[in-house]
Amino acid sequence: MTLVSTARSTTQKSVASPCVFKGLGIHTGQDCTVTVQPAPVDHGLVFQSQGVRIPALADCVVRCDRSTMLGIGDQTISTVEHLLAALVGAGIANALIEVVGPEIPILDGSAQPFFDGLVAGGVVDQQTERERMILRRPIWVGEGNSGVLALPSNETIYQY
């Protein structure tokens, strides 16, 4: 299957108002609540749990076994991948993501309910250029039977 997006904005965006998602964590079975709050320009996507802020950066990944876990020190947040996919899909670059519970709720097991909630709540263009990475050569990352190949292109294409 191939998914193509050619209308990517080059400006930063945030949510217009707080978006709340509640449900069970798939790994812990605990009630979890996530509130995606508006954030200023250049804030980035930052999780907050028990007063600790954890940016959604590769440097903060502490585990990728059946889910992606981000952490700083002893504070971790698990199962962030579907919410992050929805934020990126909606073009949101700046948000404070407040988490109550050890992980992001699984909802229906996809990014769709997160995406739908974010878009329904409104996305605000912050009228500031977004930093973009320009891929100049192919990149392959793989381990075992899994891998990702990124190729230079003038449009965004996801194929799986």
Side-chain angles (χ1 to χ4, degrees):
M1 172 178 264
T2 302
L3 304 172
V4 179
S5 172
T6 57
R8 293 307 261 164
S9 171
T10 59
T11 57
Q12 296 182 41
K13 294 180 174 48
S14 189
V15 292
S17 59
C19 297
V20 179
F21 303 95
K22 295 181 180 185
L24 294 178
I26 191 167
H27 299 288
T28 63
Q30 292 183 26
D31 289 326
C32 302
T33 301
V34 172
T35 304
V36 181
Q37 299 277 3
V41 167
D42 295 329
H43 181 272
L45 301 175
V46 179
F47 290 87
Q48 180 172 294
S49 180
Q50 297 182 1
V52 177
R53 289 187 177 211
I54 306 169
L57 299 172
D59 289 344
C60 294
V61 174
V62 295
R63 198 182 80 214
C64 289
D65 181 32
R66 296 186 177 248
S67 70
T68 303
M69 180 184 285
L70 300 176
I72 291 182
D74 292 336
Q75 186 61 47
T76 60
I77 301 167
S78 187
T79 324
V80 299
E81 54 276 8
H82 295 155
L83 176 56
L84 288 174
L87 288 159
V88 170
I92 296 168
N94 300 306
L96 178 61
I97 306 155
E98 298 172 343
V99 181
V100 177
E103 62 183 315
I104 306 301
I106 195 63
L107 304 180
D108 76 351
S110 77
Q112 193 68 55
F114 292 113
F115 179 84
D116 292 344
L118 293 165
V119 171
V123 178
V124 175
D125 191 325
Q126 296 177 304
Q127 304 296 314
T128 301
E129 280 296 308
R130 184 177 191 156
E131 185 177 323
R132 298 184 314 165
M133 179 174 61
I134 298 172
L135 191 61
R136 303 206 186 280
R137 62 179 174 79
I139 296 175
W140 166 260
V141 178
E143 183 178 319
N145 293 327
S146 300
V148 174
L149 174 63
L151 300 169
S153 179
N154 292 326
E155 60 187 358
T156 303
I157 303 170
Y158 299 98
Q159 185 171 4
Y160 59 95

